[in-house]
Amino acid sequence: MAQIHVFGRVMHDLVPKESQSKQPYVCFDLMERSGNNPPDFYQVWARGDQVARLVRLKIKKGSMIWLTGSQKLVDVRQKDGTTVKKLKIWLTDFGFLPGQTPRAKTECEQHDSDTAATAPAPSEVMDGDRESLPE
């Protein structure tokens, strides 16, 4: 598995579920746009405490978030029986992008020390087509 850091938009409302071993989990799709390129879609899985944190911070369809996790390319069987490759991410951390906050925070949550942090400042981006690469 590879570590990944993604900035994107949640594509549908989260529906927490319970595994056979009675552990909470949630799965949602995240869309990442990069310039004029076609968007990339990731299937994000969260378990345990991360599920409660996602729900408490009101992550929902349209939320702009950053996340980190372990990424793996897996085969997924669709309803029609065909198999497609999909990028899955097992969530380790997340937060709102700058300027994005949950709209309906209670006063108790506003003072909660475990609220989602804003995204870290991006490092300087080098364009290999225009700038020479460092030696």
Side-chain angles (χ1 to χ4, degrees):
M1 281 195 253
Q3 289 299 111
I4 187 168
H5 192 98
V6 181
F7 299 83
R9 179 181 305 275
V10 176
M11 297 306 297
H12 53 80
D13 288 329
L14 278 56
V15 180
K17 298 178 181 176
E18 197 172 88
S19 69
Q20 290 178 347
S21 62
K22 305 294 183 207
Q23 297 298 315
Y25 75 94
V26 69
C27 175
F28 62 94
D29 292 323
L30 187 79
M31 179 183 69
E32 175 189 42
R33 282 199 183 268
S34 180
N36 292 331
N37 299 326
D40 291 318
F41 292 90
Y42 301 92
Q43 188 179 67
V44 181
W45 290 79
R47 293 174 279 196
D49 294 340
Q50 292 293 359
V51 175
R53 189 168 169 234
L54 285 162
V55 170
R56 187 178 72 243
L57 294 173
K58 297 179 176 50
I59 302 295
K60 59 185 177 184
K61 179 179 180 177
S63 295
M64 296 291 292
I65 63 172
W66 62 267
L67 63 83
T68 60
S70 300
Q71 175 185 358
K72 188 174 185 179
L73 185 63
V74 296
D75 291 325
V76 176
R77 184 176 302 270
Q78 296 185 322
K79 291 180 182 178
D80 63 5
T82 60
T83 302
V84 295
K85 299 274 187 198
K86 209 166 203 183
L87 292 171
K88 274 190 177 182
I89 298 174
W90 281 266
L91 184 72
T92 54
D93 197 13
F94 72 94
F96 289 100
L97 289 177
Q100 299 287 317
T101 57
R103 293 186 178 138
K105 273 190 171 182
T106 64
E107 189 170 325
C108 175
E109 287 175 315
Q110 288 176 355
H111 300 293
D112 189 356
S113 62
D114 189 31
T115 59
T118 58
S123 58
E124 181 179 340
V125 176
M126 294 186 75
D127 186 340
D129 294 334
R130 298 186 191 146
E131 302 172 13
S132 59
L133 296 174
E135 300 279 327

PDB file of all heavy atoms in Angstrom, residues 54-76:
ATOM      1  N   LEU A  54     -16.144  11.703  11.636  1.00  0.00           N
ATOM      2  CA  LEU A  54     -16.752  12.151  10.382  1.00  0.00           C
ATOM      3  C   LEU A  54     -18.190  12.609  10.605  1.00  0.00           C
ATOM      4  O   LEU A  54     -18.612  13.659  10.115  1.00  0.00           O
ATOM      5  CB  LEU A  54     -16.728  11.022   9.346  1.00  0.00           C
ATOM      6  CG  LEU A  54     -15.394  10.707   8.685  1.00  0.00           C
ATOM      7  CD1 LEU A  54     -15.424   9.329   8.044  1.00  0.00           C
ATOM      8  CD2 LEU A  54     -15.023  11.774   7.672  1.00  0.00           C
ATOM      9  N   VAL A  55     -18.937  11.830  11.374  1.00  0.00           N
ATOM     10  CA  VAL A  55     -20.343  12.154  11.651  1.00  0.00           C
ATOM     11  C   VAL A  55     -20.439  13.393  12.530  1.00  0.00           C
ATOM     12  O   VAL A  55     -21.229  14.307  12.259  1.00  0.00           O
ATOM     13  CB  VAL A  55     -21.064  10.948  12.291  1.00  0.00           C
ATOM     14  CG1 VAL A  55     -22.449  11.341  12.797  1.00  0.00           C
ATOM     15  CG2 VAL A  55     -21.140   9.802  11.301  1.00  0.00           C
ATOM     16  N   ARG A  56     -19.631  13.463  13.588  1.00  0.00           N
ATOM     17  CA  ARG A  56     -19.682  14.592  14.519  1.00  0.00           C
ATOM     18  C   ARG A  56     -19.355  15.917  13.813  1.00  0.00           C
ATOM     19  O   ARG A  56     -19.954  16.950  14.105  1.00  0.00           O
ATOM     20  CB  ARG A  56     -18.720  14.366  15.685  1.00  0.00           C
ATOM     21  CG  ARG A  56     -18.850  15.434  16.766  1.00  0.00           C
ATOM     22  CD  ARG A  56     -17.934  15.196  17.947  1.00  0.00           C
ATOM     23  NE  ARG A  56     -16.557  15.456  17.573  1.00  0.00           N
ATOM     24  CZ  ARG A  56     -15.568  14.575  17.566  1.00  0.00           C
ATOM     25  NH1 ARG A  56     -15.802  13.326  17.911  1.00  0.00           N
ATOM     26  NH2 ARG A  56     -14.361  14.914  17.225  1.00  0.00           N
ATOM     27  N   LEU A  57     -18.426  15.880  12.867  1.00  0.00           N
ATOM     28  CA  LEU A  57     -18.043  17.108  12.160  1.00  0.00           C
ATOM     29  C   LEU A  57     -18.920  17.383  10.945  1.00  0.00           C
ATOM     30  O   LEU A  57     -18.670  18.306  10.187  1.00  0.00           O
ATOM     31  CB  LEU A  57     -16.569  17.032  11.765  1.00  0.00           C
ATOM     32  CG  LEU A  57     -15.631  17.036  12.972  1.00  0.00           C
ATOM     33  CD1 LEU A  57     -14.198  16.796  12.535  1.00  0.00           C
ATOM     34  CD2 LEU A  57     -15.742  18.332  13.742  1.00  0.00           C
ATOM     35  N   LYS A  58     -19.946  16.548  10.764  1.00  0.00           N
ATOM     36  CA  LYS A  58     -20.955  16.749   9.723  1.00  0.00           C
ATOM     37  C   LYS A  58     -20.367  16.755   8.312  1.00  0.00           C
ATOM     38  O   LYS A  58     -20.712  17.597   7.484  1.00  0.00           O
ATOM     39  CB  LYS A  58     -21.757  18.013   9.999  1.00  0.00           C
ATOM     40  CG  LYS A  58     -22.542  17.933  11.293  1.00  0.00           C
ATOM     41  CD  LYS A  58     -23.316  19.201  11.554  1.00  0.00           C
ATOM     42  CE  LYS A  58     -24.170  19.127  12.780  1.00  0.00           C
ATOM     43  NZ  LYS A  58     -23.596  18.676  13.983  1.00  0.00           N
ATOM     44  N   ILE A  59     -19.482  15.804   8.037  1.00  0.00           N
ATOM     45  CA  ILE A  59     -18.995  15.615   6.675  1.00  0.00           C
ATOM     46  C   ILE A  59     -20.156  15.052   5.870  1.00  0.00           C
ATOM     47  O   ILE A  59     -20.799  14.089   6.286  1.00  0.00           O
ATOM     48  CB  ILE A  59     -17.793  14.640   6.631  1.00  0.00           C
ATOM     49  CG1 ILE A  59     -16.654  15.146   7.519  1.00  0.00           C
ATOM     50  CG2 ILE A  59     -17.338  14.411   5.206  1.00  0.00           C
ATOM     51  CD1 ILE A  59     -16.033  16.449   7.073  1.00  0.00           C
ATOM     52  N   LYS A  60     -20.455  15.674   4.727  1.00  0.00           N
ATOM     53  CA  LYS A  60     -21.595  15.247   3.925  1.00  0.00           C
ATOM     54  C   LYS A  60     -21.324  15.536   2.463  1.00  0.00           C
ATOM     55  O   LYS A  60     -20.248  16.026   2.104  1.00  0.00           O
ATOM     56  CB  LYS A  60     -22.859  15.964   4.387  1.00  0.00           C
ATOM     57  CG  LYS A  60     -22.756  17.478   4.290  1.00  0.00           C
ATOM     58  CD  LYS A  60     -23.966  18.140   4.863  1.00  0.00           C
ATOM     59  CE  LYS A  60     -23.767  19.644   4.812  1.00  0.00           C
ATOM     60  NZ  LYS A  60     -24.837  20.359   5.437  1.00  0.00           N
ATOM     61  N   LYS A  61     -22.291  15.248   1.614  1.00  0.00           N
ATOM     62  CA  LYS A  61     -22.164  15.487   0.180  1.00  0.00           C
ATOM     63  C   LYS A  61     -21.790  16.954  -0.052  1.00  0.00           C
ATOM     64  O   LYS A  61     -22.404  17.858   0.515  1.00  0.00           O
ATOM     65  CB  LYS A  61     -23.479  15.169  -0.524  1.00  0.00           C
ATOM     66  CG  LYS A  61     -23.435  15.412  -2.016  1.00  0.00           C
ATOM     67  CD  LYS A  61     -24.754  15.068  -2.656  1.00  0.00           C
ATOM     68  CE  LYS A  61     -24.670  15.335  -4.154  1.00  0.00           C
ATOM     69  NZ  LYS A  61     -25.910  14.956  -4.827  1.00  0.00           N
ATOM     70  N   GLY A  62     -20.742  17.177  -0.850  1.00  0.00           N
ATOM     71  CA  GLY A  62     -20.303  18.522  -1.167  1.00  0.00           C
ATOM     72  C   GLY A  62     -19.222  19.063  -0.250  1.00  0.00           C
ATOM     73  O   GLY A  62     -18.619  20.090  -0.555  1.00  0.00           O
ATOM     74  N   SER A  63     -18.954  18.416   0.881  1.00  0.00           N
ATOM     75  CA  SER A  63     -17.899  18.888   1.785  1.00  0.00           C
ATOM     76  C   SER A  63     -16.551  18.824   1.081  1.00  0.00           C
ATOM     77  O   SER A  63     -16.224  17.829   0.441  1.00  0.00           O
ATOM     78  CB  SER A  63     -17.843  18.022   3.050  1.00  0.00           C
ATOM     79  OG  SER A  63     -19.016  18.141   3.811  1.00  0.00           O
ATOM     80  N   MET A  64     -15.770  19.897   1.204  1.00  0.00           N
ATOM     81  CA  MET A  64     -14.420  19.945   0.639  1.00  0.00           C
ATOM     82  C   MET A  64     -13.455  19.617   1.768  1.00  0.00           C
ATOM     83  O   MET A  64     -13.387  20.355   2.754  1.00  0.00           O
ATOM     84  CB  MET A  64     -14.122  21.325   0.063  1.00  0.00           C
ATOM     85  CG  MET A  64     -15.000  21.703  -1.115  1.00  0.00           C
ATOM     86  SD  MET A  64     -14.652  20.734  -2.571  1.00  0.00           S
ATOM     87  CE  MET A  64     -13.032  21.329  -2.994  1.00  0.00           C
ATOM     88  N   ILE A  65     -12.741  18.497   1.628  1.00  0.00           N
ATOM     89  CA  ILE A  65     -11.864  18.032   2.695  1.00  0.00           C
ATOM     90  C   ILE A  65     -10.497  17.641   2.144  1.00  0.00           C
ATOM     91  O   ILE A  65     -10.339  17.456   0.949  1.00  0.00           O
ATOM     92  CB  ILE A  65     -12.468  16.829   3.453  1.00  0.00           C
ATOM     93  CG1 ILE A  65     -12.644  15.614   2.533  1.00  0.00           C
ATOM     94  CG2 ILE A  65     -13.768  17.211   4.129  1.00  0.00           C
ATOM     95  CD1 ILE A  65     -13.056  14.339   3.255  1.00  0.00           C
ATOM     96  N   TRP A  66      -9.539  17.545   3.053  1.00  0.00           N
ATOM     97  CA  TRP A  66      -8.265  16.896   2.752  1.00  0.00           C
ATOM     98  C   TRP A  66      -8.260  15.615   3.565  1.00  0.00           C
ATOM     99  O   TRP A  66      -8.948  15.522   4.588  1.00  0.00           O
ATOM    100  CB  TRP A  66      -7.066  17.778   3.102  1.00  0.00           C
ATOM    101  CG  TRP A  66      -6.954  18.138   4.559  1.00  0.00           C
ATOM    102  CD1 TRP A  66      -7.448  19.260   5.164  1.00  0.00           C
ATOM    103  CD2 TRP A  66      -6.334  17.371   5.606  1.00  0.00           C
ATOM    104  NE1 TRP A  66      -7.183  19.240   6.516  1.00  0.00           N
ATOM    105  CE2 TRP A  66      -6.491  18.094   6.808  1.00  0.00           C
ATOM    106  CE3 TRP A  66      -5.659  16.154   5.632  1.00  0.00           C
ATOM    107  CZ2 TRP A  66      -5.985  17.622   8.025  1.00  0.00           C
ATOM    108  CZ3 TRP A  66      -5.169  15.695   6.849  1.00  0.00           C
ATOM    109  CH2 TRP A  66      -5.327  16.442   8.023  1.00  0.00           C
ATOM    110  N   LEU A  67      -7.561  14.627   3.082  1.00  0.00           N
ATOM    111  CA  LEU A  67      -7.449  13.404   3.860  1.00  0.00           C
ATOM    112  C   LEU A  67      -6.120  12.721   3.580  1.00  0.00           C
ATOM    113  O   LEU A  67      -5.493  12.959   2.560  1.00  0.00           O
ATOM    114  CB  LEU A  67      -8.627  12.459   3.615  1.00  0.00           C
ATOM    115  CG  LEU A  67      -8.853  11.882   2.216  1.00  0.00           C
ATOM    116  CD1 LEU A  67      -7.979  10.664   1.971  1.00  0.00           C
ATOM    117  CD2 LEU A  67     -10.307  11.497   2.080  1.00  0.00           C
ATOM    118  N   THR A  68      -5.705  11.912   4.521  1.00  0.00           N
ATOM    119  CA  THR A  68      -4.530  11.072   4.353  1.00  0.00           C
ATOM    120  C   THR A  68      -4.949   9.639   4.654  1.00  0.00           C
ATOM    121  O   THR A  68      -5.901   9.405   5.402  1.00  0.00           O
ATOM    122  CB  THR A  68      -3.372  11.467   5.302  1.00  0.00           C
ATOM    123  OG1 THR A  68      -3.816  11.352   6.646  1.00  0.00           O
ATOM    124  CG2 THR A  68      -2.907  12.878   5.040  1.00  0.00           C
ATOM    125  N   GLY A  69      -4.234   8.709   4.027  1.00  0.00           N
ATOM    126  CA  GLY A  69      -4.552   7.321   4.265  1.00  0.00           C
ATOM    127  C   GLY A  69      -3.662   6.396   3.472  1.00  0.00           C
ATOM    128  O   GLY A  69      -2.738   6.832   2.784  1.00  0.00           O
ATOM    129  N   SER A  70      -3.963   5.131   3.560  1.00  0.00           N
ATOM    130  CA  SER A  70      -3.247   4.105   2.799  1.00  0.00           C
ATOM    131  C   SER A  70      -4.055   3.792   1.556  1.00  0.00           C
ATOM    132  O   SER A  70      -5.250   3.530   1.636  1.00  0.00           O
ATOM    133  CB  SER A  70      -3.096   2.840   3.633  1.00  0.00           C
ATOM    134  OG  SER A  70      -2.370   3.116   4.803  1.00  0.00           O
ATOM    135  N   GLN A  71      -3.400   3.818   0.404  1.00  0.00           N
ATOM    136  CA  GLN A  71      -4.082   3.641  -0.869  1.00  0.00           C
ATOM    137  C   GLN A  71      -3.680   2.317  -1.511  1.00  0.00           C
ATOM    138  O   GLN A  71      -2.524   1.909  -1.443  1.00  0.00           O
ATOM    139  CB  GLN A  71      -3.727   4.775  -1.811  1.00  0.00           C
ATOM    140  CG  GLN A  71      -4.293   4.626  -3.192  1.00  0.00           C
ATOM    141  CD  GLN A  71      -3.807   5.711  -4.125  1.00  0.00           C
ATOM    142  OE1 GLN A  71      -3.084   6.600  -3.747  1.00  0.00           O
ATOM    143  NE2 GLN A  71      -4.205   5.627  -5.367  1.00  0.00           N
ATOM    144  N   LYS A  72      -4.660   1.676  -2.174  1.00  0.00           N
ATOM    145  CA  LYS A  72      -4.398   0.429  -2.871  1.00  0.00           C
ATOM    146  C   LYS A  72      -5.325   0.335  -4.078  1.00  0.00           C
ATOM    147  O   LYS A  72      -6.487   0.742  -4.004  1.00  0.00           O
ATOM    148  CB  LYS A  72      -4.641  -0.750  -1.926  1.00  0.00           C
ATOM    149  CG  LYS A  72      -4.214  -2.077  -2.477  1.00  0.00           C
ATOM    150  CD  LYS A  72      -4.352  -3.159  -1.407  1.00  0.00           C
ATOM    151  CE  LYS A  72      -3.807  -4.477  -1.917  1.00  0.00           C
ATOM    152  NZ  LYS A  72      -3.906  -5.531  -0.918  1.00  0.00           N
ATOM    153  N   LEU A  73      -4.820  -0.190  -5.192  1.00  0.00           N
ATOM    154  CA  LEU A  73      -5.626  -0.432  -6.387  1.00  0.00           C
ATOM    155  C   LEU A  73      -6.228  -1.828  -6.260  1.00  0.00           C
ATOM    156  O   LEU A  73      -5.496  -2.811  -6.106  1.00  0.00           O
ATOM    157  CB  LEU A  73      -4.763  -0.330  -7.646  1.00  0.00           C
ATOM    158  CG  LEU A  73      -5.488  -0.446  -8.973  1.00  0.00           C
ATOM    159  CD1 LEU A  73      -6.482   0.703  -9.142  1.00  0.00           C
ATOM    160  CD2 LEU A  73      -4.489  -0.458 -10.120  1.00  0.00           C
ATOM    161  N   VAL A  74      -7.559  -1.912  -6.283  1.00  0.00           N
ATOM    162  CA  VAL A  74      -8.233  -3.190  -6.077  1.00  0.00           C
ATOM    163  C   VAL A  74      -9.240  -3.458  -7.189  1.00  0.00           C
ATOM    164  O   VAL A  74      -9.688  -2.538  -7.883  1.00  0.00           O
ATOM    165  CB  VAL A  74      -8.962  -3.237  -4.708  1.00  0.00           C
ATOM    166  CG1 VAL A  74      -7.998  -3.133  -3.561  1.00  0.00           C
ATOM    167  CG2 VAL A  74     -10.017  -2.158  -4.629  1.00  0.00           C
ATOM    168  N   ASP A  75      -9.596  -4.721  -7.369  1.00  0.00           N
ATOM    169  CA  ASP A  75     -10.651  -5.111  -8.301  1.00  0.00           C
ATOM    170  C   ASP A  75     -11.986  -5.036  -7.577  1.00  0.00           C
ATOM    171  O   ASP A  75     -12.127  -5.546  -6.469  1.00  0.00           O
ATOM    172  CB  ASP A  75     -10.434  -6.541  -8.801  1.00  0.00           C
ATOM    173  CG  ASP A  75      -9.216  -6.654  -9.702  1.00  0.00           C
ATOM    174  OD1 ASP A  75      -8.944  -5.696 -10.449  1.00  0.00           O
ATOM    175  OD2 ASP A  75      -8.543  -7.702  -9.655  1.00  0.00           O
ATOM    176  N   VAL A  76     -12.971  -4.392  -8.209  1.00  0.00           N
ATOM    177  CA  VAL A  76     -14.303  -4.252  -7.627  1.00  0.00           C
ATOM    178  C   VAL A  76     -15.319  -4.825  -8.607  1.00  0.00           C
ATOM    179  O   VAL A  76     -15.325  -4.463  -9.785  1.00  0.00           O
ATOM    180  CB  VAL A  76     -14.627  -2.767  -7.331  1.00  0.00           C
ATOM    181  CG1 VAL A  76     -16.047  -2.617  -6.824  1.00  0.00           C
ATOM    182  CG2 VAL A  76     -13.638  -2.197  -6.351  1.00  0.00           C
TER     183      VAL A  76
END
